[in-house]
Amino acid sequence: MSKIRVSTTVNGDAAEFLCESGSSLLDVLRDTMGLTGSKEGCGSGDCGACTVVLDGEMVCSCLVLAPEAEGRTIATIEGVAEGSVLHPVQQKFLEHAALQCGFCTPGFIVAAKALLDRNPNPTETEVRYWLAGNLCRCTGYDKIVRAVLDAAAELRQERTPA
Amino acid sequence: MPSPAFHVPDSVEDVVALLAADPTARPLGGGTDLIVQMRSGRLVPGSVVDFKRIAGMTGVRHEGDAFVIGAATPCTALKADAALAAAWPGVVEAANLIGSVQVRNRATMAGNLCNASPAADSVPALVAAGATCVVAGPSGKREVPVQDIPVAPGKTSLAPGEFVVEICLPAKPAGGGDAYLRSTPRTEMDIAVVGAGVSLVLDADGTCTSARVALGAVGPTVVLVEEAGKALVGTKLDDDALAAMSQAVQAASNPIDDKRGSVSYRKAMAGVLARRAVLVAATRAGAKA
Amino acid sequence: MNAPEQMKQFRHVGTRPVRPDGVDKVTGRALYSPDFKAPGMLWGAILRSPHPHARIIAIDTRQAEALAGVKAVATGRDLPTLESLVMHVGEGASDIVDVSHNCLALDKVLYEGHAVAAVAATSPEIAREALALIEVEYEELPFVLGVEEALAEGAPILHDNVFTKGVDPKPDKPSNAAMRVEMGGGDVEGALASAAATVTGRYSLEPVHQGYIEPHACVASWNGDGQAQIWTSSQGHFSVRALTASVLAMPQADIRVTPLEIGGGFGGKTTIYLEPVAMVLSKKSGRPVRLAMTREEVFRATGPAPGAVIDVRLGAAADGTLVAADVEFLYHSGAYTANDAGAGVSSAIGHYRIANTRVVGVEVLCNRPAAKAYRAPGAPQVNFAVESAMDELAGKLGIDPLELRLKNAVVEGDPQTTGLPWGRIGYVECLEAAKAHPHWSAPLGPNQGRGIAGGYWGNYGGPSTVNVSVAEDGTVTVATGSPDIGGSRASMAIMAAEVLDIPYERVRAVVADTASIGVSMVTGGSRTTFATGMATVQAAEEVKRILCERAARIWGVAADQVEWRSGEVTCLDGEKQGQVMSAAAIAGRSFHSGGPIAAVAALSAKGWLPGFGVHICDTEVDPETGHVKIVRYTAIQDVGIAIHPDYVEGQIQGGAAQGIGWALNEAYIYSKDGKLDNAGFLDYRMPVASDLPMIEAVLVEVPNPSHPYGVKGVGEVPIVPPLAAVANAIHAAAGVRLRDLPMAPDRVYAALHPEG
């Protein structure tokens, strides 16, 4: 079986790759493109460690076939910071010690940013339900939820003209 | 493990032709069941037919007060349609209990239906709502009630070459309300141990004039319990009516013991959840507390 | 928060700076095990047993070897034959023969998922295809999953050469009872007979998984000269080296293990599964080989914590004084002898003063994956039983459950289970903090109840090596051999900065590979901040001494005429009195004034103290469905001194969450044919964010006098009390006592509706 050629945009840059039809988008990001920030914790959509944003919606990249990405726009953890400037969600994860081992962190940050991009003022409950697809085994979620709420507050302040 | 052929047809007719040509071919919508099954080796399709790019497959169309939902419409998009969410909140909520936000951004109700899991969350709500679906196949299109699609766990009534292209929800009847509730050990990311969908209509004085109660995970397919609906019709949903409804639900439940729940627990929960769902639906139908 | 006793004011200890490895981890740059690739690498895959118990008659690998792209195939025959040798690396002891046979089965498979063969190929797809071409002929054997069934007459025996250890005289027949541990003293039966109140109960738990999100993975590269490199994440790369070298009968120094970032371990990454297999495949193929598990493989083949059956009897006088405890438990050891019974026995009732005790624990072999350490290994199971029984006893006596615990809680000087006196422990301080906490007296809503439980974990010290070196500009690098799982680089940097009295940002901490730093034990046993921290402090003190000595030499004054003040050397002597020399100035001249400035501390840390915790849990029970909602949770713990309080709180919150998961929903579920039926995150239900409330961590600081900064281990304690805290809260909310975990909705419902 010959491989399929796919053209996409990844973190703002045009990207082409060859893939097997049965490969997941996550396989291609990690093994072909070298973007190993998205993690595979389960391969079945149950942990969220592979969360990326596909055409504006967050998805588990392990549950997207690589050829489906043709012509689509993908945003991964590697594109969340602007150059060396961390996104407020990233900064707040650091300040709140919202990570221990850090393996689930990229998925949480992509998911949390996706939440704040559409809901600038979520309640604690909204944060918890939005992030329910992301498993963390280290933190008990407490500091993650606080970091996201604090990042939301900071983003609201940034958006408010002084 | 050979990789399947990957097709991106641009018409329904092409999808039908591709599916008809290869009995192992699978249509790909959201992929949240299909890809898991492929990766675990449980399913080895010779080809995958991605029909998402066909015009009309994604999105909600309003036909008067009725709704036509393209088969590739992700569950989260249903919430974004204010008229749909207002008319059929139970259906929209049910679809948005599946998996996580990430999963619901891909998963579709048509896929939930055709995966034919007895525990599918959106199906009891659709059945209660009286939804139908349009099936395209080699001999054209046909419209069938949603409950006629699954026939056994993992099996559908779809003939070779057939696939579901849209799901149709009728206009919300005056005085109507619907609800779906499920029981799961976790609050999210779980499979229904039992699910109950209810759609009912109340007249001006609060008497129930029609009711449909459908259950998930208490049999090989989602079950429409007609006796349960009958127990409500003509009543004001008083305690006796609710008890009779719960009893009918339990009588119609024929669940299995498995890793997700026992027979006795499932039967008991079917009664409890159906009653609670009736009360939510009644509130939505405008019942006075 | 208690004021530290006799501790000076700190500049850095107790602050909450950003961890040095943080940016890499929030940007996706940090390299974890599955992220690593070596040039020319092959992709490996492992064939696993479909049977829970079977004899391997033959393995035919010829078709797999003939498949294009396959470069090597390995079976248990490719591993050297070893003599039994019990190694004390990782967490707890393990026989190297068991470790080897667990990596690749030799004659028998002992559980579904047991590795039987492996391949290395040019792509993962080819590797998986090759597995399907390996033909294994099995003779299926009867299997046993339950601990009581495994001890029954006529049960299938897993190992012909296991005779119950700890029984005198040595039994004459092999047994699935691998080990029996007993402690205690006094007249238990007499004391129970005359007690004013007694409680009796049988409790059970299913095995649970550690649930780290990063699956196991490694890359091995074996050179033609017999030297090799391994890149992997683990809780201890020195343990990986020691175990892999022993399994392969090769010198340890010939293997260099480079630690990659670890995506959680919780005890489960203190052993090896893949490394010797990847090494054999690399040797056979002449190429680097990567092996990585899927989530399903992690569930089927890596270590769960043991399930258990536990019998408890407690007796107390009318005033609540505990007079007797009798505890006997069976732990699932799985396929090979595990290590949880000893810790279970020693931590069962050690937090109370009881004159008459008998505690017996038995490790029971059965056809499940080999049990491995999981956070306070062996303690939560028995604590669940004992702390549930304490609650029942309080009810019978009509005494507040917190007061009953307070009345019997051990204090410094009380005898431990071993007979030795307790050191400066903080159980009473935790109970007092619980009593004073607003949570304990907050009002409850309908269907809500409050539970409390206490417990402890012994913690550990042990070997650590640290190198502290000063760059020419005066900045400092701390290199340790301890993998950083939850912020230990930050705590090492804090401690070194504290010693040197310099800004935190001028100290950077790294985890060095096995060729670059001396031997260090695993990050486990809650030992790293204590033991590696002690080595860090010692090495930093030596660096400070060298800096002073160099300054004295440069000034030409006697060594005792200089003093370290505020991160600089001050001269006390003669006309130079009051002059200062910075670390940068000294280090900048070091090449010409005695050489580079560095110090190694290699020590085996002593003086560790146990940690005690008290958890308060509020639940709301749906009486119609049995659903349990955790409404509020407070975890109070004696942490010694918190070096970085954020990460201490994080350990407590994470441990509590794992305990809540264990209490409510997590369990291994087996089908009738002995196969794991929930080998994935969908049906192995760990808590998600919406299942939990905020978890308030209350740090009680009773400093450890044996550590320069008062540290006590904190990581494991918090998983001990939650099981009973939740069970006791359910009892308070719904009036039913659940003695079998998990307390999933169907179980709670069944307890509430016994009529069915």
Side-chain angles (χ1 to χ4, degrees), chain C residues 437-745:
Chain C
H437 195 283
H439 185 174
W440 185 241
S441 47
L444 288 161
N447 297 317
Q448 294 184 352
R450 179 165 299 141
I452 189 168
Y456 77 105
W457 176 247
N459 294 329
Y460 195 57
S464 285
T465 309
V466 171
N467 183 347
V468 175
S469 55
V470 184
E472 297 97 300
D473 64 355
T475 55
V476 174
T477 302
V478 178
T480 78
S482 298
D484 178 353
I485 315 185
S488 63
R489 287 180 183 91
S491 53
M492 296 308 144
I494 286 173
M495 285 185 270
E498 188 70 52
V499 171
L500 295 168
D501 204 3
I502 58 177
Y504 167 80
E505 293 76 15
R506 289 178 72 81
V507 182
R508 294 302 182 196
V510 301
V511 184
D513 67 73
T514 57
S516 309
I517 190 76
V519 174
S520 300
M521 201 187 145
V522 290
T523 293
S526 300
R527 63 175 292 279
T528 299
T529 308
F530 174 77
T532 307
M534 196 180 273
T536 297
V537 170
Q538 191 174 311
E541 290 285 1
E542 176 62 9
V543 157
K544 191 163 82 178
R545 192 196 62 75
I546 296 170
L547 286 165
C548 287
E549 185 188 276
R550 297 293 174 81
R553 190 187 300 182
I554 293 166
W555 276 320
V557 303
D560 62 358
Q561 290 305 301
V562 301
E563 193 176 73
W564 189 264
R565 285 185 196 159
S566 306
E568 298 176 319
V569 186
T570 299
C571 191
L572 308 174
D573 181 65
E575 60 189 44
K576 295 191 175 92
Q577 187 172 5
Q579 283 190 22
V580 296
M581 206 180 292
S582 68
I586 301 165
R589 296 169 67 176
S590 63
F591 293 2
H592 307 291
S593 59
I597 296 162
V600 173
L603 53 75
S604 206
K606 301 266 191 296
W608 67 89
L609 282 173
F612 285 76
V614 174
H615 290 201
I616 309 169
C617 174
D618 292 357
T619 60
E620 185 174 311
V621 178
D622 184 329
E624 282 190 325
T625 68
H627 279 78
V628 175
K629 182 179 176 189
I630 306 293
V631 180
R632 185 172 179 181
Y633 203 97
T634 303
I636 299 148
Q637 188 172 318
D638 168 27
V639 300
I641 293 287
I643 301 298
H644 192 307
D646 273 347
Y647 289 105
V648 173
E649 291 163 7
Q651 288 293 321
I652 294 170
Q653 291 161 340
Q658 285 182 318
I660 291 167
W662 197 340
L664 291 182
N665 283 312
E666 292 180 38
Y668 274 37
I669 303 169
Y670 277 82
S671 63
K672 289 191 179 70
D673 55 357
K675 298 180 184 184
L676 184 61
D677 204 16
N678 62 333
F681 280 146
L682 184 59
D683 284 308
Y684 183 85
R685 299 186 182 91
M686 307 191 324
V688 300
S690 50
D691 291 333
L692 295 172
M694 291 295 186
I695 294 168
E696 185 181 351
V698 178
L699 309 185
V700 173
E701 295 194 306
V702 181
N704 178 357
S706 303
H707 187 277
Y709 295 132
V711 169
K712 291 175 182 170
V714 300
E716 289 166 290
V717 184
I719 202 174
V720 180
L723 315 188
V726 175
N728 294 341
I730 291 173
H731 180 262
V736 288
R737 170 68 54 192
L738 278 97
R739 294 193 171 88
D740 305 301
L741 296 191
M743 297 177 283

Side-chain angles (χ1 to χ4, degrees), chain B residues 172 175-177 200-206 279-289:
Chain B
K172 176 191 170 184
L200 49 73
V201 178
L202 303 183
D203 68 13
D205 74 349
L279 295 174
V280 175
T283 306
R284 287 174 175 167
K288 309 278 181 294

Side-chain angles (χ1 to χ4, degrees), chain A residues 1 4 20-22 24 27 44-46 51 57-60 62-65 67-68 70 72 129 132-134, chain B residues 3-6 28-32 35-36 38-39 48 50 52-53 100-103 105-106 186-189:
Chain A
M1 175 73 55
I4 299 172
E20 304 275 348
S21 60
S24 70
D27 293 339
S44 54
D46 298 312
T51 302
E57 301 288 348
M58 71 171 187
V59 300
C60 291
C62 74
L63 290 190
V64 178
L65 290 180
E68 288 186 77
E70 171 63 37
R72 305 209 184 273
Y129 275 83
N134 292 77
Chain B
S3 280
F6 188 83
L28 169 64
T32 53
I35 297 172
V36 173
M38 284 169 60
R39 289 180 78 78
V48 168
D50 182 355
K52 284 192 289 297
R53 292 172 198 249
S100 60
V101 180
Q102 287 93 324
V103 168
N105 278 335
R106 294 260 297 162
R186 290 194 289 196
T187 49
E188 279 276 289
M189 293 302 295

Side-chain angles (χ1 to χ4, degrees), chain B residues 19 26-27 110 113-116 133-138 142 144-146 148-151 155-165:
Chain B
L19 294 176
R26 283 290 187 284
L113 176 64
C114 295
N115 188 51
C133 58
V134 174
V135 174
R142 61 190 177 101
V144 292
V146 157
D148 290 352
I149 296 294
V151 293
K155 290 201 167 40
T156 67
S157 59
L158 296 173
E162 284 191 326
F163 80 113
V164 170
V165 291

Side-chain angles (χ1 to χ4, degrees), chain C residues 58-235:
Chain C
I59 304 177
D60 185 346
T61 61
R62 286 170 297 181
Q63 281 191 67
E65 281 159 16
L67 183 69
V70 171
K71 301 296 180 186
V73 180
T75 70
R77 303 272 162 220
D78 292 302
L79 296 174
T81 305
L82 302 169
E83 293 294 318
S84 173
L85 171 70
V86 174
M87 295 179 69
H88 292 268
V89 299
E91 196 157 331
S94 38
D95 191 316
I96 199 64
V97 174
D98 293 346
V99 174
S100 172
H101 290 176
N102 198 37
C103 288
L104 273 178
L106 190 60
D107 299 318
K108 281 217 300 186
V109 290
L110 297 167
Y111 54 95
E112 184 229 5
H114 199 157
V116 291
V119 300
T122 51
S123 78
E125 292 81 14
I126 295 173
R128 282 197 294 270
E129 200 180 333
L131 290 187
L133 297 174
I134 297 174
E135 287 177 18
V136 186
E137 188 186 338
Y138 293 103
E139 177 197 342
E140 285 187 60
L141 300 169
F143 65 88
V144 63
L145 296 175
V147 281
E148 291 175 292
E149 294 84 340
L151 296 182
E153 193 64 33
I157 297 293
L158 269 72
H159 299 281
D160 298 338
N161 59 350
V162 170
F163 300 83
T164 312
K165 273 186 214 145
V167 176
D168 196 30
K170 182 183 169 182
D172 56 3
K173 282 199 303 190
S175 165
N176 289 330
M179 185 194 296
R180 186 178 187 280
V181 185
E182 177 164 356
M183 286 186 198
D187 175 12
V188 172
E189 295 304 331
L192 282 171
S194 59
T198 60
V199 290
T200 302
R202 164 162 280 212
Y203 298 80
S204 76
L205 305 87
E206 295 299 321
V208 295
H209 198 270
Q210 293 83 351
Y212 34 81
I213 312 296
E214 177 203 45
H216 299 257
C218 72
V219 174
S221 179
W222 186 312
N223 292 348
D225 64 359
Q227 297 186 73
Q229 289 205 66
I230 295 172
W231 295 267
T232 189
S233 72
S234 73
Q235 289 177 248

